[in-house]
Amino acid sequence: MAEKIMIFDSTLRDGEQSLGAKLNLEEKLKIAQQLAKLNVDVIECGTPFSSPDDFKAVQKIAREVRGPIITALARASKADIDAAWEAIKDSPRPRIHIILSSSPIHIQYQLGKDPEAVLKIGVEAVKYAKQYTTDIQYSLVDATRSELDYMCRIIEAVIDAGATVINIPDTVGYAVPEQFGGLIRNIMNRVPNIDKTIVSVHCHNDLGLAVANSLAAIQNGARQIECNINGIGERAGNAALEEIVVAMLIRHDFFQNYYHEIKMDEIYKTSRLVSNLMGVPIPVNKAVVGTNAFVHSADFHQEGIFKNTATYEIINADLIGGKAANMALTAHSGRHAVYNQLKELGYSLTEEEFAEFYTRFLELAVRKKEVLSDDLEALMNEKITYAQTVYSLEYLQTIGGSNSIPAAIVKLRKDNEIYVEMQTGSGPLDAAYNAIDKITGFQPRLENYNLRGVTEGRDALGEVSIILRYENKTVVGRGTSTDIVEASVRAYLNGLNKLLALQKEEENQC
Ligand code: MN
């Protein structure tokens, strides 16, 4: 009988950690809800010990997202475990995830302890967490550079203490598939009480082998795979969720003893949402979800595809929901058609919400002849983007071009006041940003700028995501418009509004 592989998503923990920017509560909740629709088995949604914001986001997800197990990270200390439990306890399926290093280099330099003491700390942590819940995951950080005998002793002891999932992370992305598979097999064979737990793996992609290592682990006994949407994670990232689940399905002949329960037709949507909200573009040639993943360019390939798609295509875009309902709407489509299309995409709006959405739809439909489902998704994401608005854009005019002095006039609204500024700059965008800085009195640093066309064509919606830093705070700002200067200005304002919200929160906490 085929065995289930649990899919553990860490996009909101390892993924967010890698951004250098914090998502806000609404954005995290939106991603978690979409992960639940994708039907992942476990959502790891943060590190409650690290900050009050993180704590609140995890708590919100635990309270509102149903279906998957909700877990949060804790180092092996009482304070961390308390924070994790407080944050997740309202979920019907809470799991505490304890991490502690097991490699000589980490034990000596990071922890500054001897191995026996570390083993004891791990056991004590599991026993302490057990008072709260039965579902305890224990991770041996830097497992691939640890001694096998020592790891086996830790694993046996923490299982005795009550750990129900043992995670073997390739923290530094050092493993190669055959070796990593061998490691998992050795653990399965040598730890006497291993049958009382699920063995999990968490692979990083520093050598581009995260997915291959994860698949090798499955064939050697692992029954839970930690992976992230679009492979987002620390450094070169984690194993990409979409690649693992698609590989298991397409190569069912090879993986016939295993199955997962991911809803494949939610993959495309989840991938775009995460990319959009986190401000991390998907490379065009990315496996499964890149825009070129299903494009055939060479003449002789096209000829084959024309005769039979199976000649050069092993995955069909339909499988991941890539082509789902890409029907064009226009300004004449009417409320009903727009409403139905939204429903098709999985959104149910109240009458009031829909009225607001429809106005925005019409604005877009006037500028852009055909409004596609990707455009509708982008408009839906705007709703979260502009949730916390202090300054809003009233008017924007820019001058640019060769041999001109770039300038911008910006009119912003704050409460009921209108502010106008005109500034010059190295380009129209720089000029507009200067004008905004002049009005707000803030000068955040632009750390990253990404522009993506939501659909094809010259009238496509441009989606801009930027990373803004001010003092010790970093946020992702996003904006959409058919005019890329306007989209960029909206992204800047969105980032600024988020920074202001963070500042206000900090003042309230003081
Ligand atoms: Mn990691």
Side-chain angles (χ1 to χ4, degrees):
M1 209 177 76
E3 284 187 67
K4 173 160 173 177
I5 304 299
M6 308 257 292
I7 301 296
F8 176 119
D9 181 281
S10 185
T11 306
L12 289 170
R13 203 275 298 165
D14 211 322
E16 199 219 21
Q17 198 176 301
S18 72
L19 284 186
K22 286 278 168 196
L23 298 185
N24 66 27
L25 204 133
E26 289 79 21
E27 292 164 333
K28 285 190 192 169
L29 183 64
K30 172 90 182 172
I31 290 176
Q33 280 163 340
Q34 180 57 35
L35 289 170
K37 270 194 195 166
L38 183 67
N39 205 30
V40 302
D41 297 284
V42 188
I43 299 176
E44 179 166 66
C45 48
T47 47
F49 64 83
S50 67
S51 77
D53 285 341
D54 238 85
F55 180 92
K56 272 187 250 167
V58 173
Q59 191 174 52
K60 181 101 173 157
I61 292 167
R63 286 180 176 166
E64 296 198 9
V65 176
R66 291 293 174 265
I69 292 169
I70 302 294
T71 189
L73 204 66
R75 291 165 302 189
S77 80
K78 286 183 178 175
D80 276 25
I81 293 168
D82 289 341
W85 174 247
E86 270 309 306
I88 61 169
K89 67 179 183 189
D90 293 333
S91 166
R93 303 179 71 196
R95 172 184 294 179
I96 297 174
H97 183 186
I98 298 168
I99 57 164
L100 186 59
S101 288
S102 59
S103 69
I105 188 164
H106 278 213
I107 288 175
Q108 187 183 347
Y109 294 103
Q110 197 179 350
L111 304 176
K113 294 203 158 57
D114 78 272
E116 293 315 307
V118 169
L119 193 153
K120 226 174 129 193
I121 292 168
V123 168
E124 289 309 315
V126 172
K127 282 184 181 159
Y128 184 75
K130 208 71 188 174
Q131 65 174 312
Y132 294 129
T133 174
T134 51
D135 193 352
I136 313 283
Q137 174 167 328
Y138 188 92
S139 282
L140 294 87
V141 177
D142 204 15
T144 42
R145 294 190 300 174
S146 304
E147 288 161 19
L148 182 62
D149 286 344
Y150 177 58
M151 276 201 292
C152 289
R153 284 206 294 128
I154 295 178
I155 295 169
E156 186 179 351
V158 295
I159 293 173
D160 277 341
T164 44
V165 181
I166 296 294
N167 184 43
I168 308 296
D170 185 18
T171 308
V172 293
Y174 180 71
V176 291
E178 207 175 321
Q179 169 219 359
F180 192 61
L183 171 67
I184 300 301
R185 179 168 300 176
N186 271 329
I187 289 170
M188 300 303 295
N189 290 340
R190 288 174 62 161
V191 177
N193 53 0
I194 200 76
D195 57 321
K196 296 200 175 84
T197 61
I198 289 175
V199 172
S200 165
V201 294
H202 172 106
C203 297
H204 275 275
N205 207 31
D206 299 69
L207 298 176
L209 294 169
V211 169
N213 288 336
S214 305
L215 293 174
I218 290 175
Q219 289 175 305
N220 285 283
R223 294 293 172 264
Q224 175 182 281
I225 304 297
E226 297 198 6
C227 45
N228 295 353
I229 303 298
N230 302 335
I232 292 177
E234 286 277 1
R235 306 182 309 279
N238 291 61
L241 184 151
E242 64 280 2
E243 293 178 23
I244 289 169
V245 298
V246 167
M248 284 177 67
L249 215 69
I250 297 295
R251 294 307 308 271
H252 185 67
D253 55 334
F254 205 68
F255 292 99
Q256 56 188 315
N257 295 331
Y258 319 103
Y259 70 96
H260 60 72
E261 291 180 330
I262 292 297
K263 291 223 171 77
M264 301 304 286
D265 56 0
E266 292 287 337
I267 288 178
Y268 177 83
K269 193 171 159 185
T270 315
S271 163
R272 290 295 183 270
L273 180 76
V274 166
S275 164
N276 180 245
L277 293 193
M278 290 194 159
V280 181
I282 303 164
V284 290
N285 62 336
K286 166 84 176 61
V288 180
V289 289
T291 38
N292 286 356
F294 304 104
V295 174
H296 304 274
S297 304
D299 285 349
F300 56 97
H301 283 204
Q302 285 175 349
E303 193 194 331
I305 285 284
F306 183 69
K307 289 174 179 155
N308 181 345
T309 49
T311 49
Y312 287 98
E313 196 169 273
I314 60 158
I315 317 167
N316 186 314
D318 286 337
L319 175 76
I320 59 159
K323 282 181 189 160
N326 220 347
M327 194 177 82
L329 296 165
T330 69
H332 307 292
S333 290
R335 286 166 178 273
H336 202 67
V338 177
Y339 187 83
N340 281 344
Q341 188 69 359
L342 276 179
K343 223 172 127 189
E344 191 90 349
L345 292 169
Y347 295 105
S348 55
L349 301 187
T350 64
E351 227 168 277
E352 203 178 318
E353 285 169 333
F354 180 70
E356 191 190 318
F357 183 88
Y358 190 68
T359 313
R360 191 69 185 91
F361 164 80
L362 283 180
E363 279 169 24
L364 177 64
V366 168
R367 287 187 180 186
K368 186 177 186 298
K369 268 194 309 216
E370 290 188 325
V371 180
L372 302 172
S373 52
D374 282 354
D375 296 318
L376 293 181
E377 296 269 7
L379 289 186
M380 280 307 299
N381 290 340
E382 264 189 8
K383 267 175 68 77
I384 336 166
T385 304
Y386 300 113
Q388 297 168 311
T389 298
V390 182
Y391 288 99
S392 59
L393 184 66
E394 284 284 310
Y395 177 84
L396 170 70
Q397 187 185 330
T398 54
I399 303 163
S402 46
N403 298 323
S404 71
I405 297 174
I409 303 168
V410 176
K411 208 193 266 189
L412 299 183
R413 176 188 291 274
K414 184 191 178 193
D415 302 324
N416 282 325
E417 304 274 342
I418 298 284
Y419 301 85
V420 189
E421 269 298 333
M422 184 183 143
Q423 289 286 308
T424 56
S426 58
L429 203 53
D430 184 44
Y433 285 4
N434 286 339
I436 294 171
D437 287 353
K438 188 92 180 170
I439 293 172
T440 60
F442 270 96
Q443 258 186 314
R445 210 161 70 106
L446 182 66
E447 295 209 324
N448 200 335
Y449 176 95
N450 284 300
L451 168 67
R452 177 177 87 90
V454 174
T455 53
E456 290 163 12
R458 284 160 62 159
D459 62 352
L461 262 185
E463 201 169 64
V464 172
S465 63
I466 59 173
I467 290 183
L468 278 190
R469 176 184 288 275
Y470 186 73
E471 290 172 350
N472 59 348
K473 295 182 190 66
T474 314
V475 295
V476 182
R478 286 185 317 277
T480 40
S481 172
T482 50
D483 173 339
I484 57 169
V485 176
E486 188 188 321
S488 308
V489 166
R490 286 183 182 277
Y492 194 78
L493 276 176
N494 175 237
L496 222 121
N497 283 328
K498 282 182 172 169
L499 286 169
L500 287 169
L502 282 179
Q503 205 175 41
K504 206 169 146 198
E505 227 167 89
E506 206 159 80
E507 279 164 16
N508 291 343
Q509 276 160 14
C510 286

